[in-house]
Amino acid sequence: MAQKKIALACSECGSRNYTIAANPARQERLEVKKFCKYCNKHTLHRETR
Ligand SMILES: [Zn+2]
């Protein structure tokens, strides 16, 4: 099973704060609420490509 490293970027400041391993075959774009240390709060993080 191929897994791909995907970076999650804060939707507010654009910082890539997290990397996760996800299946590249999935269709939907990942959106996760995570803590951004630059915004100093929880923001929506989206996968980058
Ligand atoms: Zn941020």
Side-chain angles (χ1 to χ4, degrees):
M1 285 291 261
Q3 289 236 307
K4 191 180 156 195
K5 273 272 166 70
I6 289 173
L8 296 179
C10 172
S11 60
E12 295 199 15
C13 71
S15 298
R16 295 181 181 193
N17 303 314
Y18 300 93
T19 53
I20 56 165
N23 187 345
R26 92 213 118 66
Q27 289 299 315
E28 66 280 1
R29 225 166 147 76
L30 285 173
E31 293 189 341
V32 193
K33 265 220 155 186
K34 282 186 176 290
F35 184 79
C36 176
K37 63 183 175 185
Y38 300 100
C39 298
N40 208 33
K41 61 179 180 180
H42 280 82
T43 63
L44 192 65
H45 285 67
R46 292 201 178 90
E47 69 169 285
T48 58
R49 231 168 249 260

